Amino acid sequence: MILGVDYYPEHWEEERWPVDAKLMAEAGITVVRLAEFAWSRLEPRDGEFQFAWLDRALEVVSAHGIRAVLGTPTAAPPAWLVEKHPDIVPVDAWRRPLGFGARLHRCLANPTFREHSRAVTTAMARHYAQHNAVLGWQTDNELTGNRCYCEVCAGRFRGWLQHKYGALDVLNRTWGTAFWSQEYSAWPQVPLPWQTACGPMAHNPSLMLDYYRFASDITVEFQREQVRILRKHCPEHFVTHNFMGLHDAINYYDLAEDLDFVSWDNYPESSAALPHDVMRGIQGRSFWVMEEKCGHAGWNTMGPIPRPGQVRAWAWQAVGHGAEAIVFFRWRSCRSGTEQFWQGILNHDAVPGRRYREVAQVGREFRQVGPELDGTAPRNDVAILYSYDQIWALQIQPQVPGFSFALWLQRYHEGLHRLGLGADVVSPATDLSPYKLVVCPPLYLLSDELAARLDRYVSNGGHLVVSARTGVKNENNYARSETLPGPLARTLGIAVEDYDAIGDRSNAIGLHDGARFKVGLWCDILRLEGAEAAARYLHDFYAGSPAITVSRHGEGRAWYIGTVPEERFFRHFLGGIAGELRLRRVADLPKGVEVACREDEEHRVLVLTNLTGQRQTVRLHDPCEDILAKAIVGDNIVLDPFGVRLLRTTS
Ligand code: GLA
Ligand code: ZN
């Protein structure tokens, strides 16, 4: 386990550096991330590189046994670059250029910006290739889809479409441009989704989806250029990037393809369990937290400070979900700039206090139990399908206000988590055969190929949960013509006869076991064609008709949830399935307490975190040994507020 901190030596007097490094080392910090916004210091004038200051900073930290991850500084283009090439800035949908002043003032498709990005990356890579204090690299910072509306992007979009569709008549057919006279007879006629006379979201939904995909591809291409340079000059170093958890304006599966591992920036508000699982699922392997919250968040205003123990609980929660390194953001609150009030481990006064001691405690614990965790990773019986195409298509047309991919994802994940059931959040392209249960938030875009794979998964004995608004469109965001749920109708044994977008009116459902739940937003009116009803509506003209169904198909079973039930339904419903499938559950958990498991061939470590400010009692299903306290614990464990237990199952 690695403990690190994000450090900005360029913000502080050099005389302070050795004091900082010594304090870091005393807290058990062995890694710093440096330089990801330091472009104006690294290249103060066009083509004039200055590494001496960063060399000295590296010397200071490495004298204390600390090594570095270097960021390419391209998220903050310097003033001279924007002055010289004002056209590198991004443009909004109203075609207004966005100016210098904060960060991110660059269009990633702009060739001049690209040239400068390559130049600074190459200079850094060459200079630090042999430096033994450097462990690896972070590309740029928190990349997102390049949703820019400049002329360069317009040209690149047309080229991207030409490559995808070949001929314009294929594009016209695929998008259905006969609607509102949008047929294109020459490539330059194809617009970006600029503002229209009918508002921002009035563009053809197929064009919109392709634009989101294109904007994501541009960012991936931009990063790839940097990665190639880094790999060429620094073959010994790792290359990663700091992702943003549930951020969804870029296809993270694509962005991760060029990287050794995923890192992410964790600023938890409630639980970070879901984003941790999403981040692990991007490559299906362990990850780093490159920025971990250690104080209150705030740019111009501030929020509540983490309670005693909370920072430690967040760190251990991350480890439970597969983190190999926790890098706290940031070392010390900055005295200047937009983030003056974003709290570091140290306040402006640099006096080590409660948060410093808590970080140091994490450092001691990492040293104590690190070897126990080496080689272990989360392994789960349940998968949740996660896809950026689905997210985007439902953002473009949410069906009913409040309905989103994220809503379903959260409810399923939370339902499983409350049951003490870990889940892998995976791409639909993943091999699903190892999973006993696969849960699908709406597969609103459903290709024949994905439907066939899911059908095979069930036929071969898998268990599948499918949500309302599945099978509505094909992969081009063009409505399918079959009765819903389209190509999954046979697998699910149902037909959606009609649907009612009830919005904030509510209905209710009754299950066979007598349980009743409120439902909202959406009601599919279903006809059984081989399936059985698992729940029926209680109100309105479709009272008595099925709302949830289950069908046997081949060796497996498939459920369909045709409405949006309230949160507590998910624990009840998934708990029933988990019981029938005898899924391995390790504990009964009160709200706000979480368990995550890491295991290898020989043993299993449970990380139990109390994310609440109250004492909590947890009932374990097996007796365990507490490896921090080195004691055997019984079935009932009492956790202090924000308490953490690391347990080894003795079975
Ligand atoms: C992000 C960025 C950091 C910093 C923090 C806090 O995660 O990557 O540079 O801006 O937010 O605002
Ligand atoms: Zn652009």
Side-chain angles (χ1 to χ4, degrees):
M1 297 304 313
I2 295 169
L3 186 71
V5 73
D6 300 303
Y7 186 45
Y8 300 90
E10 69 275 25
H11 298 171
W12 305 99
E13 319 76 54
E14 265 191 65
E15 306 78 70
R16 175 72 203 182
W17 298 352
V19 185
D20 285 338
K22 182 163 176 283
L23 281 171
M24 288 175 196
E26 282 167 6
I29 287 168
T30 57
V31 167
V32 286
R33 182 193 60 179
L34 302 173
E36 84 280 11
F37 295 112
W39 198 342
S40 69
R41 285 288 170 95
L42 293 165
E43 190 184 2
R45 276 163 295 278
D46 195 353
E48 199 180 291
F49 296 100
Q50 290 188 2
F51 296 113
W53 68 273
L54 188 54
D55 295 347
R56 291 196 299 277
L58 280 169
E59 210 171 292
V60 170
V61 294
S62 63
H64 289 86
I66 297 170
R67 300 181 74 194
V69 178
L70 298 181
T72 61
T74 41
W80 61 257
L81 179 54
V82 181
E83 183 195 29
K84 201 160 172 185
H85 304 286
D87 58 323
I88 69 163
V89 302
V91 167
D92 73 7
W94 282 261
R95 306 195 194 207
R96 297 174 301 205
L98 303 171
F100 180 86
R103 55 183 176 186
L104 307 181
H105 37 263
R106 79 296 203 229
C107 165
L108 299 179
N110 183 283
T112 314
F113 176 69
R114 285 280 185 92
E115 197 186 306
H116 285 274
S117 150
R118 287 194 298 271
V120 70
T121 304
T122 307
M124 279 183 90
R126 282 206 175 119
H127 189 84
Y128 290 108
Q130 306 303 331
H131 202 297
N132 52 21
V134 177
L135 275 175
W137 297 83
Q138 171 190 298
T139 57
D140 201 86
N141 189 77
E142 296 193 336
L143 286 165
T144 179
N146 190 63
R147 292 190 190 164
C148 168
Y149 297 80
C150 76
E151 282 305 322
V152 173
C153 285
R156 290 293 315 268
F157 184 45
R158 292 170 193 134
W160 185 93
L161 293 168
Q162 208 161 349
H163 183 255
K164 176 168 180 181
Y165 295 111
L168 256 187
D169 59 325
V170 180
L171 176 145
N172 280 318
R173 239 179 302 125
T174 312
W175 287 5
T177 50
F179 182 80
W180 283 355
S181 243
Q182 287 167 356
E183 282 157 310
Y184 303 109
S185 53
W187 288 102
Q189 295 164 7
V190 181
L192 286 180
W194 285 303
Q195 277 302 307
T196 70
C198 303
M201 293 310 255
H203 280 280
N204 181 316
S206 302
L207 176 149
M208 289 294 295
L209 181 60
D210 272 343
Y211 172 67
Y212 285 6
R213 289 167 170 157
F214 155 77
S216 176
D217 283 1
I218 288 289
T219 306
V220 172
E221 178 193 270
F222 163 77
Q223 177 185 255
R224 184 163 297 152
E225 257 179 23
Q226 290 198 352
V227 174
R228 284 205 181 122
I229 294 166
L230 296 169
R231 297 229 186 270
K232 178 173 161 209
H233 296 288
C234 312
E236 305 293 314
H237 295 162
F238 65 70
V239 184
T240 185
H241 174 73
N242 55 336
F243 292 56
M244 291 184 278
L246 299 180
H247 176 81
D248 57 21
I250 181 164
N251 186 324
Y252 274 155
Y253 297 112
D254 294 344
L255 191 69
E257 253 176 37
D258 294 313
L259 302 173
D260 293 302
F261 57 87
V262 166
S263 304
W264 84 281
D265 296 348
N266 179 28
Y267 295 98
E269 277 159 25
S270 50
S271 170
L274 174 59
H276 281 310
D277 287 345
V278 169
M279 294 288 89
R280 189 182 67 254
I282 295 298
Q283 289 183 331
R285 52 160 298 176
S286 59
F287 56 90
W288 279 34
V289 178
M290 195 60 97
E291 296 180 15
E292 172 88 7
K293 186 171 173 174
C294 68
H296 65 60
W299 279 11
N300 301 317
T301 58
M302 288 168 260
I305 196 169
R307 300 353 256 175
Q310 201 167 11
V311 163
R312 170 178 175 250
W314 286 329
W316 277 112
Q317 179 193 32
V319 172
H321 286 266
E324 297 297 334
I326 306 291
V327 181
F328 284 104
F329 184 88
R330 49 190 291 150
W331 174 242
R332 178 176 172 187
S333 309
C334 197
R335 290 183 59 202
S336 64
T338 311
E339 291 184 356
Q340 269 167 330
F341 298 114
W342 197 285
Q343 217 168 25
I345 297 172
L346 307 184
N347 288 334
H348 291 137
D349 66 4
V351 178
R354 177 176 70 80
R355 296 193 311 284
Y356 175 82
R357 289 192 293 276
E358 205 167 304
V359 167
Q361 182 184 354
V362 175
R364 278 194 304 279
E365 291 171 344
F366 276 9
R367 277 197 301 278
Q368 190 186 332
V369 298
E372 195 87 34
L373 290 163
D374 284 346
T376 62
R379 276 189 214 160
N380 295 303
D381 292 332
V382 186
I384 305 178
L385 295 197
Y386 187 74
S387 144
Y388 293 94
D389 272 357
Q390 306 291 354
I391 294 173
W392 295 337
L394 284 171
Q395 283 169 346
I396 293 163
Q397 294 174 298
Q399 314 297 292
V400 61
F403 189 99
S404 66
F405 189 89
L407 172 90
W408 285 91
L409 174 71
Q410 269 151 12
R411 295 217 173 151
Y412 282 129
H413 189 269
E414 163 90 8
L416 291 164
H417 224 66
R418 290 288 304 281
L419 290 161
L421 273 172
D424 288 349
V425 179
V426 302
S427 151
T430 306
D431 171 19
L432 300 174
S433 57
Y435 294 104
K436 295 188 178 143
L437 176 65
V438 173
V439 177
C440 312
L443 301 170
Y444 172 72
L445 306 176
L446 189 56
S447 64
D448 293 337
E449 186 269 334
L450 177 57
R453 283 208 304 119
L454 293 173
D455 184 86
R456 264 200 310 282
Y457 168 73
V458 180
S459 301
N460 294 336
H463 297 86
L464 186 72
V465 174
V466 175
S467 313
R469 303 313 280 154
T470 286
V472 176
K473 305 248 201 150
N474 70 12
E475 62 275 27
N476 300 310
N477 215 3
Y478 194 104
R480 298 189 68 111
S481 58
E482 308 98 321
T483 299
L484 296 180
L488 277 176
R490 257 173 36 81
T491 324
L492 292 161
I494 52 163
V496 180
E497 285 195 326
D498 212 345
Y499 33 81
D500 190 13
I502 63 172
D504 50 18
R505 286 165 31 219
S506 71
N507 201 323
I509 53 171
L511 274 58
H512 287 319
D513 59 10
R516 289 174 171 222
F517 298 95
K518 272 204 273 197
V519 300
L521 298 178
W522 190 270
C523 295
D524 275 336
I525 303 170
L526 304 175
R527 187 173 67 233
L528 302 176
E529 296 199 331
E532 284 168 28
R536 293 179 185 271
Y537 291 108
L538 298 178
H539 308 300
D540 221 318
F541 73 91
Y542 40 91
S545 69
I548 298 174
T549 60
V550 54
S551 94
R552 288 187 183 280
H553 183 73
E555 304 287 302
R557 270 183 298 162
W559 287 263
Y560 182 78
I561 306 183
T563 183
V564 188
E566 62 180 305
E567 277 173 44
R568 63 187 184 92
F569 160 84
F570 289 86
R571 198 170 61 231
H572 181 90
F573 171 75
L574 294 165
I577 297 179
E580 285 174 40
L581 303 184
R582 296 178 193 284
L583 300 183
R584 190 181 60 177
R585 293 178 50 200
V586 293
D588 292 332
L589 301 167
K591 193 170 169 52
V593 177
E594 294 185 357
V595 66
C597 296
R598 291 175 56 140
E599 58 187 89
D600 60 16
E601 300 315 322
E602 272 105 60
H603 70 311
R604 186 140 62 101
V605 178
L606 311 185
V607 181
L608 203 58
T609 43
N610 176 5
L611 300 169
T612 74
Q614 291 84 43
R615 299 184 76 173
Q616 301 276 7
T617 307
V618 175
R619 200 176 66 78
L620 290 175
H621 294 184
D622 297 309
C624 287
E625 184 187 350
D626 185 326
I627 56 178
L628 271 181
K630 297 204 170 79
I632 300 290
V633 294
D635 292 354
N636 271 324
I637 298 196
V638 178
L639 286 157
D640 290 335
F642 303 108
V644 174
R645 294 296 188 94
L646 275 163
L647 306 173
R648 183 173 38 212
T649 51
T650 43
S651 55

